C-alpha cells in the first residue's frame, strides 16, 4: 500500500517536513517514491510555510495512495491558497 505522508527533517526543536509518497512499510524518514512538496511549521517573515504540488498529489490519490490526516489538511490548505491566488 502507498501513502502520502510527512517525512521529518530540520534540527532539534526546529522541524521541517517533506511531503512524500512512500510505501507504508518504509520508515518515516526513510525511502520514498516521490517528493510532492514541503511544510515548514515555523515559517517566519518572508519564508514560505507550505509548497505542495496539488495536481501531482491528486494524481497519486487517484492511483490509490492514502494521505494521512495531516496531509489531508495541508492539501485542503494548499488548494484554498491556489484558488485565492
Amino acid at each position: 500500500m502507498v501513502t502520502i505522508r510527512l517525512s521529518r527533517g530540520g534540527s532539534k526543536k526546529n522541524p521541517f517536513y517533506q511531503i512524500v509518497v512512500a510505501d507504508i512499510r518504509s520508515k518515516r524518514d526513510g525511502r520514498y517514491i516521490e517528493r510532492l512538496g514541503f511544510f515548514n511549521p515555523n515559517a517566519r517573515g518572508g519564508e514560505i510555510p507550505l509548497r505542495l504540488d496539488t495536481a501531482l498529489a491528486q494524481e497519486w490519490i487517484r492511483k490509490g495512495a492514502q494521505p494521512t490526516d495531516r496531509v489531508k489538511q495541508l492539501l485542503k490548505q494548499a488548494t484554498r491558497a491556489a484558488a485565492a491566488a
Side-chain angles (χ1 to χ4, degrees), residues 24-52:
I24 202 162
R25 295 170 292 184
S26 64
K27 296 178 182 179
R28 180 192 70 183
D29 300 333
R31 204 159 133 200
Y32 60 88
I33 300 168
E34 189 167 11
R35 181 174 173 254
L36 304 178
F38 66 84
F39 171 56
N40 183 2
N42 296 331
R44 294 178 190 87
E47 296 177 357
I48 301 170
L50 175 65
R51 180 175 295 152
L52 177 60

Side-chain angles (χ1 to χ4, degrees), residues 44-82:
R44 294 178 190 87
E47 296 177 357
I48 301 170
L50 175 65
R51 180 175 295 152
L52 177 60
D53 188 347
T54 54
L56 193 56
Q58 290 299 331
E59 183 180 325
W60 274 104
I61 291 171
R62 277 194 299 275
K63 290 179 182 178
Q66 296 294 316
T68 60
D69 293 336
R70 184 62 175 143
V71 171
K72 283 180 190 175
Q73 292 175 358
L74 293 173
L75 190 56
K76 286 180 186 176
Q77 184 179 347
T79 330
R80 272 190 250 124

